[in-house]
Amino acid sequence: MKLDELKELLDLDESKETNKIQNILPKFTRYWKWFIVSVIVCMAAGGLYSLTQVPVYRISSAILIKEKDGQSSFSSQMDFMKNMDFLGGKDNVLDEIQVLNSKTLLRKVVTELKLHTTYYKHSKLKQTEIYKNSPIHVSMLPQTLDTLTTPITLHFNFTPDGIELKGEINESRLENYEFQQKLKSLPAIVETPNGIIRISQDSVIPIPKIGTISVILSNTNETVSELKKAISIDLIDRKANAISLTIPSSVIPKGKEIISKLIQYYNEASIEEKNQVALNSIKFIDDRLSLITGELSTVERNVENYKQANKLTNIEAESEEFIKQNSDFDRQRLETETQLNLVEFVSQYIRKEDNRYGTVPNIGITDEALAGVLREYNTLLFQRERLIRSTSEKNPVIIDIERQIRSIRDAILSSVENTKRGLMIRKRDLDYQYTRITSRIKDVPRQEREFVEIKRQQELKAALYTYLLQKREENNLALALAVPTAKVIDEPLLDQQISAGMNFYLMIAFILGLIIPAIIIYLRDILNKRITDKTQLEGLTKVSILGELPDYKGKESIVVKPDSREPITEMYRLIRTNLQFIMHDKSKKVINITSTEPGEGKTTFTINMALTLAMTGKKILIAGLDIRKPALSDFLTSPQKTGITTYLSELNLDYANLVQSTLLHENLFILPSGPVPPNPNELLLKTSLDELFILLRKEFDYILVDTAPVGVVADTFLLDRITDVTLYIFRANFSNKNNAKIINDIAKHEKLRNLYIVLKGCDTYSHVYGYGKKKYGYYSLPNK
């Protein structure tokens, strides 16, 4: 294909699409009043609907999750907590989001703010929620609220005579339980199948004399679930520890208070968790101090008794030189025995069943392997404690963590034994070194040796006692310095209105106002089985449309008059011009006029078309060849029982006697059908009909043949041999769309020659190229 041909095809397709759009638009523009009324009604409805809607706002806040390792202004004072590894490593912010959104915290918020009870004030167009401004208060027992299977709705109607209460409980989809009661005074108690409802009066807000307030009581757990779905908690930035909290609410103070309470309870829970760790450590240290205090007292009494018994005053000065030599081994033995005691303390603590889930603080164990196992053990305990708040102990994650805790507890015991064995070996080695050096001190009195042994025990107990006292003070400081985990960056504030405003509803209403009539018109056009206009007919058939005639509302059949400038007369003249153009050859004189079914107006068209041609000075003949149901007899000058059928039956061979003049025009003649024959089909096949039309062609300028409908009988196809042009009549809003299939079949198989369509009954006044209400060239006489 050449480039020019391709471009021509593309231009043709574009032209077809443009024409298609231009043809569709008139179908809608003719009903412009529908669109205006629809838009007005829809926008009025949209505006009224917007007034019934309660605006919904988005309340948002932002918090910063602090590190639990004490990275704050007090970090220098809490470095010892890092050494004891009480608080673990850096928080997982995603875990904190789950804690914030846990039902445990949300239930506290619901209970504190009484979100399970909602109050509404009624106005003419809508009902708005009342938050903490209700003149009455409704309550139920918490355990009763937890058992509600369906909300309870109460309507309080305030009248000068008192308060009328109407209640409704939707027990099932098919049945509602309703009750009524008149409250003479408040407080009052109302008994329902779901429990007792207590009604009291607000101490500040007075009860109105008139008005209506509705109260809805809901199940607390369901309210918690709804709040969990409504509130949105997410990271502000993946690289930061900041969390955003947002909630939609029609009451701004309510949304702010929900977020504030949630943050408050989260911080309280985090502080409680930190305090629990510190309290467990203090309890452990106090137990050890109680034991060490008794042991230290015993050793000190032994020192005192030994000195009194042996009258010793300054043994240290006498044995100063030996002590200097033995000081290193003594110090190492002291450290080793201290570690043995600490390891033994951990072993006793971990074996107690009461301490199964208690944290084991590392209070100075130098063995890195054991200290690492203790840190891992404490981390798992913290993780279990956090998860157990928002889920049950049967959760697979909790079960897995407990399995790990048992495994690590066994590992701790094994590590304790290994560490103890190592310390014992080291102690034996140090004892050996100490004994070797001591054996060299032969000149030291026995008392001094014994006193050194007792003194060493005293120093060991005193050092351990001092160490535990220091750790207890450090934990007390941790309790005093406990700070919330969440720091509020942005207080809960109104972000924006998220519900649609009046402009949105008006815009939607305007669009619907345009769409609704368009859909109605479109469906009406699709569901209508009748042909409505020229555009539709052109889409159903490829046969050319010679012209269209407007819908004539008058009672007269003859609408064409010599001096008329009416639109229908002008359209007949336009068809006449088109007809003369296609019949430019003088030999073409016979025009076959037919239709698909009776009632489409082919006979009236034939008369008016013949009259239009006669006005040009041409001699016109109308031949009635619809011999089964003749309709031309009404236009004869005088009744006559002869016609074409008598001629074809050879009852009257002089056709000149059959042709009659009319009163419509001097140039218009009619050849009537004659009596209805018993064999119409056979008569039309006679050669005498051909001979008759040869004679008529010589005498008349145009011959219009009124034939039978092609959808009823086949007579018209038999006449195709004597005609030059066929005009196929369609009538708007009468002819069936399926009739187009018949004419398409006729055109495809060329059953009728030179086939053209004339469409009658069109609404040309609303057509874009019609005459309109102002008639072009219309002449009217001036008023006298």
Side-chain angles (χ1 to χ4, degrees):
M1 182 181 292
K2 295 182 179 179
L3 183 61
D4 293 341
E5 294 177 351
L6 179 60
K7 184 177 180 181
E8 183 178 353
L9 288 175
L10 292 175
D11 293 341
L12 181 60
D13 291 340
E14 184 178 355
S15 176
K16 288 181 178 179
E17 290 296 326
T18 303
N19 291 334
K20 185 176 181 180
I21 296 175
Q22 292 176 348
N23 291 333
I24 291 175
L25 288 177
K27 292 184 178 181
F28 297 105
T29 55
R30 72 179 62 179
Y31 298 103
W32 60 271
K33 293 182 180 179
W34 290 21
F35 286 92
I36 292 177
V37 173
S38 177
V39 168
I40 293 175
V41 171
C42 287
M43 291 192 70
L48 183 63
Y49 180 77
S50 66
L51 295 176
T52 64
Q53 299 303 299
V54 178
V56 179
Y57 306 93
R58 182 171 65 191
I59 312 300
S60 62
S61 178
I63 60 175
L64 179 67
I65 302 299
K66 298 179 182 179
E67 299 294 341
K68 286 191 176 180
D69 57 0
Q71 292 182 0
S72 65
S73 59
F74 303 103
S75 59
S76 60
Q77 303 177 29
M78 299 182 67
D79 287 341
F80 66 90
M81 288 189 171
K82 297 180 184 178
N83 296 330
M84 295 179 68
D85 200 22
F86 285 151
L87 304 179
K90 184 178 179 180
D91 276 350
N92 188 337
V93 183
L94 296 178
D95 290 341
E96 299 305 316
I97 291 177
Q98 298 302 318
V99 175
L100 270 168
N101 204 23
S102 65
K103 289 188 176 182
T104 303
L105 293 183
L106 293 177
R107 185 179 179 87
K108 290 183 179 180
V109 174
V110 170
T111 304
E112 174 69 19
L113 301 181
K114 296 181 173 60
L115 300 181
H116 44 67
T117 305
T118 313
Y119 300 82
Y120 295 96
K121 181 180 180 181
H122 292 265
S123 61
K124 292 182 179 180
L125 294 178
K126 60 185 175 183
Q127 63 177 17
T128 55
E129 182 178 349
I130 307 173
Y131 183 67
K132 293 188 176 181
N133 288 318
S134 175
I136 60 173
H137 298 287
V138 180
S139 62
M140 295 184 75
L141 293 175
Q143 55 268 31
T144 305
L145 284 172
D146 290 340
T147 59
L148 288 180
T149 58
T150 182
I152 301 176
T153 303
L154 304 175
H155 301 285
F156 295 90
N157 186 21
F158 301 102
T159 63
D161 299 332
I163 303 175
E164 296 178 356
L165 170 62
K166 293 182 179 180
E168 179 181 349
I169 304 176
N170 187 11
E171 293 291 349
S172 64
R173 296 181 179 178
L174 301 177
E175 181 181 358
N176 291 343
Y177 174 78
E178 297 181 355
F179 57 90
Q180 294 184 2
Q181 186 173 341
K182 190 165 185 178
L183 306 178
K184 297 181 180 180
S185 62
L186 294 179
I189 294 177
V190 179
E191 294 184 0
T192 69
N194 290 13
I196 296 176
I197 300 175
R198 293 175 174 82
I199 304 170
S200 60
Q201 181 179 350
D202 189 85
S203 59
V204 178
I205 303 173
I207 293 179
K209 295 182 179 179
I210 188 170
T212 303
I213 290 179
S214 296
V215 182
I216 299 178
L217 294 166
S218 303
N219 183 289
T220 304
N221 295 325
E222 292 181 358
T223 306
V224 170
S225 299
E226 292 176 0
L227 181 60
K228 184 178 178 68
K229 294 177 183 177
I231 196 166
S232 176
I233 305 175
D234 200 1
L235 288 174
I236 296 178
D237 190 337
R238 295 293 177 183
K239 297 181 180 179
N241 290 348
I243 296 175
S244 66
L245 297 91
T246 59
I247 186 172
S249 177
S250 59
V251 182
I252 297 175
K254 179 179 180 180
K256 291 181 179 180
E257 196 163 1
I258 289 174
I259 294 181
S260 297
K261 285 293 181 182
L262 181 60
I263 296 174
Q264 174 188 335
Y265 289 132
Y266 170 75
N267 282 330
E268 290 177 359
S270 65
I271 291 175
E272 182 182 353
E273 178 184 340
K274 294 177 182 179
N275 291 343
Q276 183 179 1
V277 174
L279 288 172
N280 288 340
S281 299
I282 291 173
K283 181 181 178 182
F284 171 77
I285 292 172
D286 286 343
D287 292 342
R288 307 319 304 164
L289 278 174
S290 178
L291 180 62
I292 295 299
T293 300
E295 294 178 352
L296 181 60
S297 297
T298 301
V299 172
E300 288 177 345
R301 283 195 297 271
N302 291 338
V303 172
E304 181 182 356
N305 294 333
Y306 188 83
K307 285 185 177 182
Q308 289 177 353
N310 294 280
K311 299 179 180 181
L312 298 176
T313 57
N314 194 7
I315 299 177
E316 290 85 358
E318 297 175 2
S319 60
E320 182 177 2
E321 183 178 354
F322 298 102
I323 293 174
K324 290 180 180 178
Q325 295 177 4
N326 202 27
S327 60
D328 291 336
F329 290 106
D330 225 11
R331 176 178 54 80
Q332 294 179 24
R333 292 177 66 195
L334 178 62
E335 292 176 355
T336 302
E337 289 180 359
T338 300
Q339 290 297 316
L340 278 171
N341 278 278
L342 293 178
V343 170
E344 182 61 25
F345 292 160
V346 172
S347 177
Q348 294 175 7
Y349 182 84
I350 203 72
R351 293 178 186 277
K352 285 186 178 181
E353 184 63 20
D354 295 339
N355 299 328
R356 183 174 56 171
Y357 296 118
T359 55
V360 182
N362 182 357
I363 55 177
I365 294 176
T366 58
D367 187 87
E368 289 298 326
L370 179 57
V373 175
L374 289 176
R375 282 194 297 272
E376 186 178 359
Y377 180 75
N378 287 338
T379 300
L380 286 174
L381 290 176
F382 293 154
Q383 186 175 358
R384 178 190 177 276
E385 180 67 18
R386 174 170 296 175
L387 293 176
I388 204 69
R389 295 179 181 178
S390 58
T391 183
S392 65
E393 293 183 355
K394 296 181 181 181
N395 190 296
V397 178
I398 299 296
I399 295 174
D400 183 65
I401 291 177
E402 290 180 347
R403 181 187 58 77
Q404 296 182 45
I405 290 174
R406 290 194 298 270
S407 176
I408 294 179
R409 187 186 294 115
D410 295 336
I412 291 174
L413 293 175
S414 176
S415 180
V416 165
E417 294 301 321
N418 293 334
T419 303
K420 188 186 296 184
R421 284 194 295 270
L423 291 174
M424 292 297 297
I425 293 172
R426 177 177 175 80
K427 182 176 181 301
R428 285 196 299 269
D429 181 68
L430 291 173
D431 288 343
Y432 170 76
Q433 296 293 338
Y434 178 77
T435 303
R436 186 176 59 83
I437 294 176
T438 303
S439 63
R440 295 171 56 188
I441 309 175
K442 298 180 179 180
D443 298 331
V444 177
R446 177 182 55 81
Q447 295 89 350
E448 183 176 5
R449 291 199 305 272
E450 293 176 352
F451 181 77
V452 169
E453 293 289 341
I454 298 173
K455 187 67 174 178
R456 185 170 59 249
Q457 292 294 327
Q458 181 189 19
E459 291 175 352
L460 173 64
K461 300 299 181 181
L464 183 58
Y465 180 80
T466 302
Y467 180 82
L468 291 175
L469 282 177
Q470 179 186 356
K471 292 302 178 183
R472 185 174 65 177
E473 292 303 316
E474 289 175 352
N475 280 276
N476 287 327
L477 181 60
L479 281 174
L481 298 179
V483 294
T485 302
K487 177 182 178 181
V488 178
I489 301 175
D490 294 325
E491 294 289 340
L493 296 172
L494 170 63
D495 191 354
Q496 64 179 5
Q497 181 176 337
I498 58 177
S499 61
M502 178 175 287
N503 292 336
F504 173 79
Y505 290 112
L506 290 178
M507 180 183 67
I508 295 298
F510 178 79
I511 295 173
L512 288 176
L514 296 176
I515 291 176
I516 291 174
I519 292 176
I520 293 174
I521 294 170
Y522 180 73
L523 292 177
R524 181 185 177 191
D525 186 57
I526 291 178
L527 298 176
N528 188 8
K529 297 181 179 180
R530 307 295 178 181
I531 295 172
T532 57
D533 52 32
K534 177 182 177 182
T535 302
Q536 189 181 68
L537 183 57
E538 287 176 339
L540 296 173
T541 179
K542 295 182 179 180
V543 179
S544 300
I545 299 177
L546 188 66
E548 53 182 330
L549 296 170
D551 188 17
Y552 182 69
K553 304 297 183 181
K555 297 180 179 180
E556 298 180 1
S557 300
I558 308 302
V559 297
V560 176
K561 298 178 182 179
D563 298 327
S564 175
R565 296 290 182 88
E566 292 292 333
I568 190 168
T569 303
E570 295 297 336
M571 294 301 288
Y572 268 107
R573 289 170 179 158
L574 180 59
I575 295 175
R576 179 185 65 190
T577 302
N578 294 337
L579 188 61
Q580 290 174 340
F581 177 76
I582 62 175
M583 298 182 68
H584 56 85
D585 191 351
K586 293 183 179 180
S587 62
K588 294 182 178 180
K589 293 185 176 184
V590 181
I591 303 170
N592 182 16
I593 301 174
T594 186
S595 64
T596 306
E597 55 185 315
E600 292 182 298
K602 62 179 179 58
T603 301
T604 56
F605 172 80
T606 303
I607 299 296
N608 286 281
M609 192 68 242
L611 186 57
T612 306
L613 291 171
M615 290 178 183
T616 62
K618 304 292 184 180
K619 191 175 181 181
I620 309 300
L621 174 66
I622 300 176
L625 284 178
D626 185 0
I627 59 178
R628 296 176 185 265
K629 191 178 180 181
L632 289 175
S633 58
D634 297 336
F635 303 97
L636 296 176
T637 54
S638 60
Q640 188 174 0
K641 297 183 179 180
T642 58
I644 294 179
T645 56
T646 58
Y647 177 84
L648 296 178
S649 301
E650 299 181 356
L651 299 177
N652 190 343
L653 298 178
D654 186 4
Y655 77 91
N657 295 330
L658 303 177
V659 176
Q660 297 186 18
S661 60
T662 65
L663 298 176
L664 300 175
H665 198 278
E666 59 183 3
N667 293 330
L668 180 59
F669 299 88
I670 294 179
L671 177 57
S673 302
V676 178
N679 55 344
N681 205 267
E682 288 75 12
L683 285 180
L684 296 178
L685 288 173
K686 287 189 174 184
T687 57
S688 56
L689 180 62
D690 299 71
E691 297 171 354
L692 174 61
F693 269 81
I694 292 174
L695 297 175
L696 293 175
R697 283 174 182 269
K698 295 177 181 179
E699 185 174 350
F700 296 95
D701 295 312
Y702 290 103
I703 304 172
L704 280 69
V705 181
D706 181 25
T707 60
V710 297
V712 180
V713 293
D715 296 357
T716 303
F717 299 115
L718 301 178
L719 301 176
D720 187 57
R721 67 186 190 275
I722 62 172
T723 60
D724 301 311
V725 175
T726 301
L727 299 184
Y728 202 101
I729 307 300
F730 280 91
R731 182 179 171 185
N733 299 316
F734 181 86
S735 300
N736 197 294
K737 293 179 182 178
N738 291 329
N739 293 352
K741 297 180 181 179
I742 297 176
I743 194 173
N744 289 337
D745 181 73
I746 294 172
K748 180 180 179 181
H749 297 92
E750 298 181 354
K751 296 179 181 180
L752 297 175
R753 67 183 69 185
N754 295 330
L755 186 60
Y756 293 92
I757 294 175
V758 174
L759 181 61
K760 295 184 63 179
C762 297
D763 186 10
T764 54
Y765 284 93
S766 61
H767 206 285
V768 292
Y769 53 84
Y771 283 90
K773 294 182 179 180
K774 294 182 179 180
K775 305 173 182 62
Y776 178 76
Y778 182 76
Y779 175 76
S780 60
L781 294 174
N783 296 327
K784 294 182 180 180

